[in-house]
Amino acid sequence: MEPIISISNLCKQYGEKTVLNNINLDVYPGQVIGYIGPNGAGKSTTVKVLTGVIQDYTGHVQVAGKDLRENLMDIKRMIGYVPELAELYDLLTPREYLHFTGTLYGMEASLIEERMVKMLDSFGLADNIDQRMDSFSKGMRQKVLLASGLLHNPSIVILDEPLSGLDANAVILVKELLQRLKQEGKTIFYCSHMMDVVEKVSDTIVLIDKGTIIANGTFAELRAGSGESLEQIFSKLTMADNLIEKAGSLASAMTNNNTNEQL
């Protein structure tokens, strides 16, 4: 089977700072890839390269056998992207926003309407479909973003912290949705700090730190008989095994030198 995404010797620098250092990664159709790492590790930069936001990189990226630089617009049509931080047009309603998004992908208005109504109903937003989004909570906004990223039925779905702000029922819904999309042969590139979710939904887990991939395999392969959780593996591989000591220092910082505090 040929990879749907093939990354070779990908490097990206900001000035003298190297953000991505020779990233090599193959992703196959129907896989759920858990892409994890500490803050500043290079996760979001990788995603921005894959989605065409960043184009001044070195190395090669192919999607569905096509060079990303040479076929950027064709590849963008294949990808559904839900960013970690995104600004919605607050003065629009979900109906207006999703019609706008669908039109950008060349969808017919009738198809946009049909899919949009079903998706928002599933997310519990049917009663808010014509309500301006400036009054929406973070969770409601995230549901609209998820709908916009999936509206055009992409073959590759890139999710950057997709569960941010969602309530417990919505989290369960999205996890079930990922499994359904996988069964349909779609490829999921999933970035998150929620280790328990990554552990459960991912076929392959890729751990990046300081711009370099330091682990790549199934959860069973990463734990290699140690019996550790993904959170423990993450902590060990990213040299963060003194977190308990650091937590103690933070707690003591709040209680020391408080003689001048008034109750």
Side-chain angles (χ1 to χ4, degrees):
M1 181 185 297
E2 294 295 321
I4 187 75
I5 299 172
S6 183
I7 301 173
S8 303
N9 302 318
L10 175 61
C11 297
K12 170 61 184 171
Q13 288 185 297
Y14 290 107
E16 297 182 355
K17 182 179 180 181
T18 299
V19 182
L20 297 177
N21 185 18
N22 285 319
I23 298 296
N24 292 280
L25 179 64
D26 286 333
V27 181
Y28 292 88
Q31 276 192 322
V32 179
I33 301 296
Y35 199 63
I36 62 175
N39 290 332
K43 301 187 302 298
S44 292
T45 302
T46 305
V47 166
K48 289 177 181 178
V49 169
L50 288 175
T51 54
V53 176
I54 292 176
Q55 300 179 39
D56 57 335
Y57 56 87
T58 61
H60 299 280
V61 180
Q62 286 191 326
V63 179
K66 299 179 180 180
D67 182 86
L68 179 61
R69 284 193 180 96
E70 297 177 0
N71 302 274
L72 185 57
M73 295 310 297
D74 288 341
I75 290 171
K76 280 189 173 185
R77 294 187 185 97
M78 300 171 55
I79 294 175
Y81 176 38
V82 180
E84 179 179 7
L85 299 173
E87 293 294 331
L88 292 172
Y89 295 101
D90 282 349
L91 298 183
L92 297 182
T93 67
R95 187 192 300 276
E96 292 168 338
Y97 179 75
L98 292 175
H99 267 284
F100 169 71
T101 302
T103 301
L104 292 177
Y105 284 104
M107 297 174 62
E108 293 184 2
S110 58
L111 181 58
I112 296 172
E113 184 73 15
E114 179 183 352
R115 289 184 182 172
M116 171 192 64
V117 169
K118 290 180 180 178
M119 296 174 80
L120 293 180
D121 182 54
S122 296
F123 276 126
L125 293 179
D127 293 338
N128 309 98
I129 194 169
D130 292 312
Q131 178 182 340
R132 277 184 15 174
M133 292 186 290
D134 57 355
S135 62
F136 279 19
S137 67
K138 179 175 176 54
M140 294 169 72
R141 291 166 177 262
Q142 191 67 13
K143 292 173 182 178
V144 175
L145 283 173
L146 283 163
S148 70
L150 299 172
L151 187 66
H152 61 295
N153 193 26
S155 56
I156 300 170
V157 181
I158 299 178
L159 305 172
D160 195 352
E161 297 292 352
L163 306 182
S164 177
L166 296 183
D167 57 51
N169 286 334
V171 168
I172 295 171
L173 174 61
V174 172
K175 288 164 63 176
E176 291 297 324
L177 175 61
L178 293 181
Q179 293 303 315
R180 181 67 64 87
L181 295 176
K182 174 187 171 182
Q183 291 170 9
E184 294 177 357
K186 299 186 186 302
T187 303
I188 315 294
F189 198 91
Y190 186 98
C191 301
S192 180
H193 290 108
M194 300 177 68
M195 298 297 162
D196 58 332
V197 178
V198 173
E199 181 180 319
K200 291 175 182 176
V201 305
S202 302
D203 299 306
T204 300
I205 297 171
V206 177
L207 175 54
I208 182 173
D209 188 27
K210 299 175 183 176
T212 301
I213 291 177
I214 60 175
N216 182 356
T218 65
F219 175 56
E221 290 170 342
L222 294 185
R223 72 193 308 196
S226 67
E228 294 179 317
S229 67
L230 182 58
E231 189 175 78
Q232 292 169 322
I233 295 169
F234 178 93
S235 177
K236 182 180 295 184
L237 292 178
T238 57
M239 305 292 288
D241 52 358
N242 60 342
L243 291 178
I244 295 177
E245 179 182 340
K246 289 181 179 179
S249 297
L250 282 170
S252 64
M254 293 186 289
T255 57
N256 288 346
N257 301 319
N258 60 354
T259 54
N260 294 326
E261 291 184 2
Q262 295 181 357
L263 297 178

